[in-house]
Amino acid sequence: MALRAPDHGATRWRQPSCSRPLSLGLRSGGIWIPASVAPGGRPVWTLRGDAGWGLALTRNVSLSGDHGITIYSAGHTQLRVHAHALGVALRPGAGSLAPAHRDRLSFGVETRTLMVVRVRTSDGWQDFDVGGIRDVTFRLAYGMEHAVGKRWHLGWQLAPGYSRVFLDSQRLLRGALRAALRPVPDHELRGTITAHLVHRDASQFGGNDFRRASAHLQASGAWIWMSRHNVGTIVQGRLLSSFMSGEAPIYEVREETLRTPYAEASVGVLATW
Protein backbone atom coordinates (compact mmCIF):
# COMPACT_ATOMS: atom_id res chain seq x y z
CA MET A 1 0.00 0.00 0.00
CA ALA A 2 1.42 3.36 -0.99
CA LEU A 3 1.97 5.96 1.69
CA ARG A 4 0.34 9.20 0.57
CA ALA A 5 0.36 11.54 3.60
CA PRO A 6 2.21 14.76 2.66
CA ASP A 7 5.42 16.03 4.26
CA HIS A 8 5.76 19.47 5.80
CA GLY A 9 8.34 21.03 8.06
CA ALA A 10 12.10 21.44 8.01
CA THR A 11 12.89 17.87 6.88
CA ARG A 12 10.85 16.71 3.89
CA TRP A 13 11.09 13.34 2.18
CA ARG A 14 8.34 13.23 -0.46
CA GLN A 15 7.43 15.28 -3.48
CA PRO A 16 3.79 16.33 -3.90
CA SER A 17 1.83 14.13 -6.26
CA CYS A 18 0.81 15.50 -9.66
CA SER A 19 -2.67 14.06 -9.13
CA ARG A 20 -2.86 16.06 -5.87
CA PRO A 21 -0.36 18.86 -6.59
CA LEU A 22 -1.15 21.15 -3.63
CA SER A 23 -0.85 20.19 0.03
CA LEU A 24 -1.44 22.30 3.14
CA GLY A 25 -0.72 21.63 6.80
CA LEU A 26 -1.63 23.66 9.89
CA ARG A 27 -0.25 22.77 13.32
CA SER A 28 -0.18 24.21 16.82
CA GLY A 29 1.65 22.98 19.89
CA GLY A 30 4.08 23.66 22.67
CA ILE A 31 4.79 22.76 26.28
CA TRP A 32 4.23 24.06 29.81
CA ILE A 33 6.57 23.32 32.72
CA PRO A 34 5.60 24.51 36.22
CA ALA A 35 8.14 26.37 38.33
CA SER A 36 8.46 23.44 40.73
CA VAL A 37 10.22 21.31 38.10
CA ALA A 38 11.47 23.88 35.57
CA PRO A 39 15.19 24.72 35.37
CA GLY A 40 15.99 27.76 37.49
CA GLY A 41 12.73 27.54 39.41
CA ARG A 42 10.83 29.63 36.85
CA PRO A 43 7.70 28.54 34.96
CA VAL A 44 8.51 27.87 31.31
CA TRP A 45 6.12 27.56 28.38
CA THR A 46 6.23 27.72 24.62
CA LEU A 47 3.48 28.12 22.05
CA ARG A 48 4.05 27.39 18.38
CA GLY A 49 1.86 27.87 15.34
CA ASP A 50 3.01 26.60 11.93
CA ALA A 51 1.67 26.50 8.38
CA GLY A 52 3.34 24.41 5.68
CA TRP A 53 2.59 23.90 2.01
CA GLY A 54 3.88 22.05 -1.04
CA LEU A 55 3.17 22.58 -4.73
CA ALA A 56 4.09 20.23 -7.58
CA LEU A 57 5.11 22.19 -10.68
CA THR A 58 5.86 19.04 -12.66
CA ARG A 59 6.13 15.37 -11.84
CA ASN A 60 9.66 15.86 -10.52
CA VAL A 61 9.88 19.55 -9.50
CA SER A 62 8.12 21.17 -6.56
CA LEU A 63 8.05 24.27 -4.37
CA SER A 64 7.61 24.28 -0.61
CA GLY A 65 7.16 26.72 2.23
CA ASP A 66 6.84 26.84 6.01
CA HIS A 67 5.72 29.80 8.10
CA GLY A 68 5.35 30.03 11.86
CA ILE A 69 5.38 31.98 15.11
CA THR A 70 6.94 30.79 18.37
CA ILE A 71 6.46 32.41 21.78
CA TYR A 72 8.98 31.40 24.42
CA SER A 73 8.37 32.39 28.05
CA ALA A 74 10.71 31.84 30.99
CA GLY A 75 9.88 33.62 34.23
CA HIS A 76 10.07 37.37 33.66
CA THR A 77 11.03 37.24 29.96
CA GLN A 78 9.10 36.39 26.81
CA LEU A 79 10.40 36.19 23.24
CA ARG A 80 8.41 36.11 20.00
CA VAL A 81 10.09 34.64 16.93
CA HIS A 82 8.69 34.68 13.38
CA ALA A 83 10.01 32.02 10.98
CA HIS A 84 9.71 31.57 7.21
CA ALA A 85 11.24 29.05 4.82
CA LEU A 86 11.02 28.62 1.04
CA GLY A 87 12.50 25.82 -1.04
CA VAL A 88 12.64 24.16 -4.43
CA ALA A 89 13.11 20.42 -4.87
CA LEU A 90 13.54 17.90 -7.67
CA ARG A 91 14.09 14.19 -8.18
CA PRO A 92 17.47 13.75 -9.93
CA GLY A 93 17.04 9.96 -9.87
CA ALA A 94 13.69 9.96 -11.68
CA GLY A 95 13.91 7.62 -14.64
CA SER A 96 16.99 5.79 -13.34
CA LEU A 97 15.93 4.59 -9.89
CA ALA A 98 13.59 1.67 -9.34
CA PRO A 99 10.04 2.65 -8.30
CA ALA A 100 10.76 1.42 -4.76
CA HIS A 101 13.40 4.15 -4.33
CA ARG A 102 12.53 7.84 -4.52
CA ASP A 103 15.14 10.54 -4.03
CA ARG A 104 14.77 14.26 -3.33
CA LEU A 105 17.27 17.08 -3.81
CA SER A 106 16.28 20.45 -2.39
CA PHE A 107 17.66 23.92 -1.83
CA GLY A 108 16.05 26.22 0.69
CA VAL A 109 16.35 29.56 2.45
CA GLU A 110 15.14 29.98 6.03
CA THR A 111 14.85 33.15 8.09
CA ARG A 112 13.87 33.65 11.72
CA THR A 113 13.28 37.06 13.27
CA LEU A 114 13.17 37.99 16.95
CA MET A 115 10.51 40.70 16.85
CA VAL A 116 9.49 41.46 20.44
CA VAL A 117 10.97 40.94 23.91
CA ARG A 118 8.52 41.24 26.81
CA VAL A 119 9.94 41.82 30.29
CA ARG A 120 7.99 41.81 33.54
CA THR A 121 8.84 44.84 35.66
CA SER A 122 7.39 46.32 38.83
CA ASP A 123 4.92 48.18 36.60
CA GLY A 124 3.81 45.03 34.77
CA TRP A 125 4.74 43.62 31.36
CA GLN A 126 6.60 45.94 28.99
CA ASP A 127 7.28 45.26 25.31
CA PHE A 128 10.64 46.14 23.79
CA ASP A 129 10.83 46.33 20.00
CA VAL A 130 14.31 45.00 19.24
CA GLY A 131 14.10 46.08 15.61
CA GLY A 132 14.07 42.58 14.19
CA ILE A 133 17.13 40.47 15.04
CA ARG A 134 17.20 38.17 12.01
CA ASP A 135 19.20 35.14 10.98
CA VAL A 136 19.31 33.64 7.48
CA THR A 137 20.12 29.98 6.78
CA PHE A 138 20.81 28.35 3.41
CA ARG A 139 20.43 24.57 3.20
CA LEU A 140 21.10 21.96 0.56
CA ALA A 141 19.49 18.58 1.26
CA TYR A 142 19.58 15.20 -0.43
CA GLY A 143 17.88 12.03 0.70
CA MET A 144 15.94 8.95 -0.35
CA GLU A 145 12.92 7.02 0.81
CA HIS A 146 12.92 3.27 0.21
CA ALA A 147 9.85 1.04 0.09
CA VAL A 148 11.03 -2.03 1.98
CA GLY A 149 7.63 -3.69 2.01
CA LYS A 150 3.97 -3.07 1.31
CA ARG A 151 3.60 -1.16 4.57
CA TRP A 152 7.14 0.02 5.45
CA HIS A 153 9.19 2.92 4.10
CA LEU A 154 12.67 3.83 5.34
CA GLY A 155 14.33 7.15 4.58
CA TRP A 156 17.59 8.99 5.11
CA GLN A 157 18.73 12.54 4.45
CA LEU A 158 21.85 14.73 4.72
CA ALA A 159 21.58 18.52 4.71
CA PRO A 160 24.59 20.85 5.02
CA GLY A 161 23.79 24.48 5.77
CA TYR A 162 25.26 27.92 6.35
CA SER A 163 23.70 30.47 8.68
CA ARG A 164 24.36 34.14 9.42
CA VAL A 165 23.14 36.55 12.09
CA PHE A 166 24.64 40.04 11.99
CA LEU A 167 28.34 39.47 11.16
CA ASP A 168 28.55 36.02 12.76
CA SER A 169 28.03 32.67 11.05
CA GLN A 170 27.50 28.97 11.70
CA ARG A 171 28.27 25.92 9.58
CA LEU A 172 25.56 23.30 9.95
CA LEU A 173 25.09 19.64 9.08
CA ARG A 174 21.80 17.85 9.61
CA GLY A 175 21.38 14.10 9.25
CA ALA A 176 18.07 12.29 9.62
CA LEU A 177 16.67 8.75 9.54
CA ARG A 178 12.95 8.00 9.32
CA ALA A 179 10.78 4.88 9.43
CA ALA A 180 7.18 5.15 8.20
CA LEU A 181 4.58 2.41 8.67
CA ARG A 182 1.06 2.20 7.30
CA PRO A 183 -0.50 -0.44 9.61
CA VAL A 184 -4.02 -0.05 8.18
CA PRO A 185 -5.43 1.97 5.27
CA ASP A 186 -5.55 5.74 5.83
CA HIS A 187 -3.25 5.63 8.90
CA GLU A 188 0.50 6.24 9.05
CA LEU A 189 3.02 6.10 11.89
CA ARG A 190 6.37 7.90 11.61
CA GLY A 191 9.50 7.79 13.76
CA THR A 192 12.45 10.10 13.06
CA ILE A 193 15.91 10.57 14.57
CA THR A 194 17.75 13.78 13.65
CA ALA A 195 21.30 14.86 14.48
CA HIS A 196 22.58 18.43 14.19
CA LEU A 197 26.27 19.32 14.06
CA VAL A 198 27.09 23.00 14.59
CA HIS A 199 30.38 24.86 14.10
CA ARG A 200 30.31 28.47 15.30
CA ASP A 201 32.57 31.48 14.80
CA ALA A 202 34.98 32.33 17.59
CA SER A 203 33.05 35.60 18.01
CA GLN A 204 29.38 34.78 18.39
CA PHE A 205 26.06 36.59 18.27
CA GLY A 206 25.26 38.26 21.58
CA GLY A 207 28.76 37.70 22.98
CA ASN A 208 27.79 34.20 24.10
CA ASP A 209 30.69 32.05 25.24
CA PHE A 210 29.44 28.80 23.69
CA ARG A 211 31.53 25.89 22.47
CA ARG A 212 32.57 26.43 18.87
CA ALA A 213 31.44 22.91 17.91
CA SER A 214 28.55 20.94 19.36
CA ALA A 215 26.16 18.11 18.50
CA HIS A 216 22.44 17.97 19.21
CA LEU A 217 19.92 15.12 18.87
CA GLN A 218 16.19 15.09 18.23
CA ALA A 219 13.69 12.22 18.22
CA SER A 220 10.11 12.55 17.06
CA GLY A 221 7.07 10.38 16.51
CA ALA A 222 3.85 11.13 14.64
CA TRP A 223 0.49 9.55 13.87
CA ILE A 224 -1.32 10.68 10.72
CA TRP A 225 -4.80 9.86 9.48
CA MET A 226 -5.90 10.81 5.96
CA SER A 227 -9.52 10.37 4.99
CA ARG A 228 -10.82 9.26 1.59
CA HIS A 229 -11.44 12.95 0.88
CA ASN A 230 -7.69 13.69 1.38
CA VAL A 231 -8.20 15.68 4.58
CA GLY A 232 -6.69 14.39 7.79
CA THR A 233 -5.07 15.02 11.14
CA ILE A 234 -1.56 14.75 12.58
CA VAL A 235 -0.47 14.31 16.20
CA GLN A 236 3.25 14.68 16.85
CA GLY A 237 5.67 14.76 19.75
CA ARG A 238 9.41 15.32 19.82
CA LEU A 239 12.31 15.27 22.28
CA LEU A 240 15.36 17.52 21.86
CA SER A 241 18.68 17.32 23.67
CA SER A 242 18.72 21.15 23.68
CA PHE A 243 16.32 23.94 22.76
CA MET A 244 16.30 24.16 18.94
CA SER A 245 20.11 24.32 18.62
CA GLY A 246 21.19 23.33 15.13
CA GLU A 247 17.98 24.64 13.59
CA ALA A 248 19.01 28.31 13.76
CA PRO A 249 21.43 30.49 15.77
CA ILE A 250 18.72 32.89 16.87
CA TYR A 251 17.54 30.29 19.40
CA GLU A 252 20.93 30.44 21.11
CA VAL A 253 20.32 33.81 22.76
CA ARG A 254 20.79 32.28 26.21
CA GLU A 255 23.38 29.74 27.29
CA GLU A 256 20.75 27.51 28.90
CA THR A 257 19.31 26.72 25.46
CA LEU A 258 22.37 24.58 24.67
CA ARG A 259 22.30 22.52 27.85
CA THR A 260 18.60 22.17 28.70
CA PRO A 261 16.61 19.28 27.15
CA TYR A 262 13.30 20.23 25.59
CA ALA A 263 10.12 18.44 24.53
CA GLU A 264 6.91 19.49 22.85
CA ALA A 265 3.70 18.11 21.38
CA SER A 266 1.54 19.41 18.54
CA VAL A 267 -1.68 18.64 16.70
CA GLY A 268 -2.79 19.76 13.26
CA VAL A 269 -4.70 19.18 10.07
CA LEU A 270 -3.48 18.13 6.61
CA ALA A 271 -5.13 18.43 3.22
CA THR A 272 -4.27 17.82 -0.43
CA TRP A 273 -5.96 19.05 -3.60
Side-chain angles (χ1 to χ4, degrees), residues 16-265:
S17 164
C18 277
S19 60
R20 296 277 177 179
L22 177 63
S23 67
L24 176 65
L26 300 173
R27 289 190 300 175
S28 179
I31 191 173
W32 177 75
I33 305 175
S36 58
V37 297
R42 298 167 299 178
V44 175
W45 59 266
T46 62
L47 180 63
R48 294 165 59 90
D50 300 283
W53 55 270
L55 175 65
L57 300 180
T58 70
R59 185 175 181 180
N60 298 313
V61 180
S62 68
L63 299 178
S64 64
D66 291 287
H67 315 275
I69 298 176
T70 299
I71 300 175
Y72 169 62
S73 176
H76 298 290
T77 305
Q78 292 183 4
L79 309 176
R80 191 181 78 205
V81 177
H82 294 213
H84 301 278
L86 294 173
V88 57
L90 61 144
R91 292 183 56 206
S96 60
L97 292 173
H101 311 285
R102 290 179 173 266
D103 65 346
R104 186 175 188 271
L105 175 66
S106 65
F107 175 76
V109 179
E110 311 163 12
T111 178
R112 293 169 177 83
T113 307
L114 177 60
M115 297 296 297
V116 175
V117 177
R118 300 190 72 202
V119 178
R120 186 193 295 272
T121 67
S122 58
D123 298 324
W125 287 100
Q126 292 189 11
D127 290 351
F128 294 89
D129 187 350
V130 294
I133 300 175
R134 178 179 290 107
D135 64 25
V136 179
T137 301
F138 302 91
R139 287 192 189 269
L140 182 69
Y142 180 76
M144 297 184 67
E145 190 174 47
H146 311 271
V148 295
K150 292 183 178 181
R151 302 174 184 268
W152 282 96
H153 282 213
L154 297 177
W156 58 268
Q157 186 182 110
L158 288 175
Y162 177 79
S163 187
R164 289 195 65 87
V165 54
F166 294 131
L167 299 178
D168 304 318
S169 64
Q170 291 185 357
R171 277 66 57 193
L172 310 171
L173 179 62
R174 182 182 68 213
L177 297 172
R178 185 175 82 172
L181 169 66
R182 189 177 181 188
V184 293
D186 302 328
H187 294 262
E188 183 176 336
L189 299 174
R190 296 174 178 174
T192 307
I193 296 176
T194 306
H196 293 273
L197 301 179
V198 184
H199 184 266
R200 304 172 182 85
D201 288 347
S203 172
Q204 298 172 44
F205 159 60
N208 295 314
D209 189 20
F210 297 154
R211 300 187 306 274
R212 292 201 63 188
S214 62
H216 311 274
L217 293 175
Q218 300 181 6
S220 67
W223 165 76
I224 299 172
W225 168 73
M226 294 294 292
S227 72
R228 293 177 297 173
H229 304 289
N230 294 289
V231 177
T233 60
I234 178 171
V235 179
Q236 184 174 17
R238 63 174 183 163
L239 301 172
L240 297 80
S241 64
S242 57
F243 183 75
M244 311 289 184
S245 288
E247 295 190 6
I250 204 168
Y251 291 122
E252 299 180 352
V253 175
R254 302 170 65 120
E255 183 182 0
E256 65 190 42
T257 61
L258 263 70
R259 54 183 173 84
T260 303
Y262 175 74
E264 66 178 13

